[in-house]
Amino acid sequence: MKVTGAVQPILPLCQRLFPGRLAGLSMDLLKATALELAILAGHLLLYPSGIAQERPSTPALLPQGTAAPLPSGAKPPVVLLHGFIDNRSVFVLLRRNLAQHGRQHIESLNYSPLTCDIRTAARLLGRHIEELCERTGQPQVDIVGHSLGGLIARYYVQSLGGDLRVRKLVTLGTPHSGTRVAPLANAHPIVRQMRPGSPVIEELRQPAPGCRTHIVSFWSDLDPLMDPLESACVEHPDLLTQNVRVSGIGHLALLVHPAVAAGIRQALDLEQPGATTEALTVA
């Protein structure tokens, strides 16, 4: 991945935004930051296209109210869940990648930017998944959640019985242990729930015996929104987990980089291994 000399003017901006984190700034971090800004610009252009909730896909020839089962042996439907103050448009490239590699049913769920409680969003997710399973005739789904979306999905799986419906949960840059970044954002209730030691984070530390969902967490060593960086790892004795360290890209790039997309596909397709930690270098 090559980044041109346009990186240099970004240095002063980076130092103002993250003065503590960027002490001893490296060229890798400069490249990752430049890529993040480019992705952010593209995402702002796409954002209006994802504001409306996605319409469920059902064949037009089926009678109204009739389930549209997927072909026998089809892979489970994939539900994509976006992060804080975001919408489904952020998954344009990842969704295309999954579809090109055999996923026949992919849906994105928008939750309101005014959502103030992870528990409420998790219950909404649960209702959506029940409807999706009924509509497709599939007993289980897979979920890919970015940032806050991954935390909402984990709460559904671990605290609301969602492990019955969710076969695999893949999280991308999700603050599983809470993050301390951007303290001024504490004015928003859902940001406070993502802090270390919040009631929601403490609930997720509670025992979860028999949880059936396999959780794979991709975390980046250049993610400026995770403080500490390892907060994006899943550490729980009762959960079947796999943590994948990604080197060379930041928070938003986890959604669009082809090497990460390949890792996500592999995580969804492989049989459940034991708890492991892996590394993926993409830059």
Side-chain angles (χ1 to χ4, degrees), residues 59-253:
L61 297 178
L62 287 177
Q64 186 175 6
T66 302
L70 294 177
S72 177
K75 297 175 181 179
V78 178
V79 177
L80 306 176
L81 199 59
H82 62 80
F84 181 57
I85 315 181
D86 216 329
N87 64 38
R88 60 189 177 87
S89 65
V90 76
F91 288 112
V92 168
L93 294 180
L94 178 59
R95 182 173 188 151
R96 182 183 305 165
N97 188 291
L98 293 174
Q100 289 173 342
H101 288 84
R103 288 287 167 166
Q104 297 173 306
H105 197 110
I106 306 169
E107 292 191 7
S108 301
L109 174 64
N110 277 359
Y111 54 89
S112 170
L114 301 179
T115 298
C116 293
D117 183 43
I118 287 174
R119 304 174 187 88
T120 300
R123 287 191 287 271
L124 171 64
L125 173 63
R127 291 195 295 270
H128 176 81
I129 288 176
E130 289 297 325
E131 186 273 334
L132 174 59
C133 288
E134 180 179 358
R135 177 159 38 88
T136 61
Q138 293 292 305
Q140 289 186 306
V141 304
D142 293 331
I143 299 178
V144 179
H146 179 237
S147 197
L148 171 61
L151 202 60
I152 291 170
R154 181 180 167 190
Y155 191 91
Y156 166 63
V157 162
Q158 191 175 327
S159 302
L160 299 179
D163 63 313
L164 181 65
R165 288 297 194 191
V166 181
R167 185 183 70 108
K168 289 195 177 182
L169 167 60
V170 177
T171 67
L172 309 171
T174 290
H176 289 284
S177 300
T179 177
R180 297 188 296 262
V181 79
L184 294 179
N186 276 344
H188 198 292
I190 212 164
V191 173
R192 294 198 294 270
Q193 290 184 335
M194 289 191 286
R195 296 300 190 205
S198 76
V200 167
I201 296 298
E202 290 305 309
E203 281 186 59
L204 294 176
R205 293 183 184 276
Q206 296 301 311
C211 184
R212 289 158 282 197
T213 300
H214 177 212
I215 303 175
V216 181
S217 174
F218 287 80
W219 65 283
S220 170
D221 57 9
L222 295 178
D223 190 336
L225 297 185
M226 296 298 111
D227 183 15
L229 291 171
E230 292 78 9
S231 65
C233 296
V234 182
E235 303 292 346
H236 195 295
D238 295 334
L239 300 180
L240 183 60
T241 64
Q242 183 178 5
N243 293 305
V244 181
R245 174 177 176 169
V246 181
S247 298
I249 59 174
H251 191 72
L252 294 176

Side-chain angles (χ1 to χ4, degrees), residues 36-54:
E36 289 288 287
L37 293 175
I39 294 170
L40 178 61
H43 182 47
L44 290 176
L45 292 175
L46 288 173
Y47 191 92
S49 68
I51 292 175
Q53 192 71 267
E54 180 179 354

